Amino acid sequence: MRISVIIPTFNEEKNITKLVKYLQEEGGEALANIIIVDGGSEDKTTEMARKAGAKVVVSQKKGRAAQMNYGASFATGQILYFIHADARPPSGFVNDIQSAIREGYQSGCYRFRFDSDKTLLKLNSYLTRLNILSARGGDQTLFITRPLFDELYGFDEYYVIMEEYDLLRRLWRKNRSAFKIIPKEVCVSARKYDTNSWARVQVANLVAMTLFRLGAKPARIAATYKKMLHYQ
């Protein structure tokens, strides 16, 4: 089963070339296509991605949920693999994912680690070993078979934030045993923590998750989250 990689972007010129090249080298013929779904970048993200060899499409609707759904419409692989632009899957990810599918899993993710040696960030990384919703997230990447993605109607574009948590919640309600956490680590940028303190990010994450569980409107969650954090 071949894999279509889908990467939502917005002003990611610093990361996109390296990521696309890495995926090409690691994925080889097992990758059906690498799709960059841009949300209107104001830098050279799309130009650089295209030069690196990825298929580039521009979503008329901004937001990861909408962009990832749009990207999925161009996918030709039987497995969809969603990756954030500042994350790098571990070496051998193709074999990991294909092996998981052969074992009977229909979806899954990795654990993660930050590109930083700070002790508190190592604690965050350790918690991704736990099989609970609050320990998951898009940074860990997500693979899912095309039939299951279609059966779930993809990402709910109502969620302008927490879209991956919503998809996982629906997926787990359907068949949690079909989801595998691969015991390897995606390398994730610590840039959010470089701009904000560890405590500030943790409190913001806790507030967002609490509001999500309480059923707050995604627009309210997004506004609250952005208000609590500084962005580069």
Side-chain angles (χ1 to χ4, degrees):
M1 299 180 75
R2 300 182 77 203
I3 301 170
S4 285
V5 177
I6 300 164
I7 308 170
T9 58
F10 181 73
N11 292 343
E12 291 287 356
E13 66 177 10
K14 293 181 180 179
N15 298 305
I16 202 62
T17 298
K18 289 182 180 179
L19 178 58
V20 171
K21 292 294 186 182
Y22 174 79
L23 294 172
Q24 290 169 335
E25 292 169 5
E26 284 289 329
E29 293 300 316
L31 297 188
N33 46 4
I34 299 174
I35 305 164
I36 305 301
V37 198
D38 195 68
S41 291
E42 298 162 344
D43 61 6
K44 296 181 180 179
T45 297
T46 56
E47 176 185 339
M48 296 174 72
R50 199 172 283 112
K51 285 183 178 179
K55 177 178 180 61
V56 178
V57 296
V58 178
S59 175
Q60 295 301 309
K61 191 174 179 181
K62 289 186 179 181
R64 279 184 176 146
Q67 288 173 233
M68 290 188 289
N69 282 343
Y70 188 58
S73 71
F74 294 90
T76 57
Q78 300 95 333
I79 304 169
L80 307 180
Y81 188 33
F82 298 95
I83 303 175
H84 288 182
D86 61 350
R88 178 173 292 198
S91 178
F93 72 87
V94 163
N95 183 62
D96 294 337
I97 293 172
Q98 291 179 332
S99 294
I101 299 297
R102 287 194 294 269
E103 290 168 11
Y105 296 98
Q106 298 178 57
S107 61
C109 70
Y110 285 96
R111 303 167 180 171
F112 76 57
R113 64 178 173 83
F114 287 104
D115 58 353
S116 170
D117 292 326
K118 293 180 180 178
T119 302
L120 288 174
L121 293 184
K122 291 181 180 179
L123 172 61
N124 288 52
S125 301
Y126 183 81
L127 293 175
T128 62
R129 295 166 179 259
L130 303 178
N131 190 17
I132 56 176
L133 188 63
S134 57
R136 303 275 65 82
D139 288 338
Q140 297 159 37
T141 71
L142 171 71
F143 69 88
I144 184 169
T145 62
R146 184 67 199 232
L148 180 56
F149 184 78
D150 290 342
E151 188 176 343
L152 293 169
Y153 299 102
F155 292 96
D156 187 342
E157 297 178 17
Y158 169 72
Y159 286 91
V160 294
I161 191 173
M162 313 296 285
E163 68 285 337
E164 281 118 345
Y165 293 98
D166 168 69
L167 182 68
L168 278 184
R169 185 170 59 179
R170 288 185 283 124
L171 190 157
W172 284 6
R173 285 173 180 169
K174 181 176 180 59
N175 186 359
R176 186 162 183 164
S177 63
F179 186 85
K180 181 175 184 177
I181 302 173
I182 299 174
K184 293 184 181 180
E185 298 171 333
V186 172
C187 183
V188 178
S189 171
R191 58 185 177 179
K192 187 187 298 182
Y193 290 86
D194 292 336
T195 308
N196 301 272
S197 69
W198 180 85
R200 181 187 290 270
V201 177
Q202 295 309 113
V203 171
N205 288 343
L206 177 61
V207 169
M209 179 57 72
T210 300
L211 290 173
F212 173 72
R213 290 186 182 279
L214 291 174
K217 292 183 178 180
R220 178 191 169 195
I221 301 174
T224 302
Y225 191 74
K226 290 178 181 179
K227 186 176 180 180
M228 295 180 72
L229 297 179
H230 300 296
Y231 289 85
Q232 290 180 323

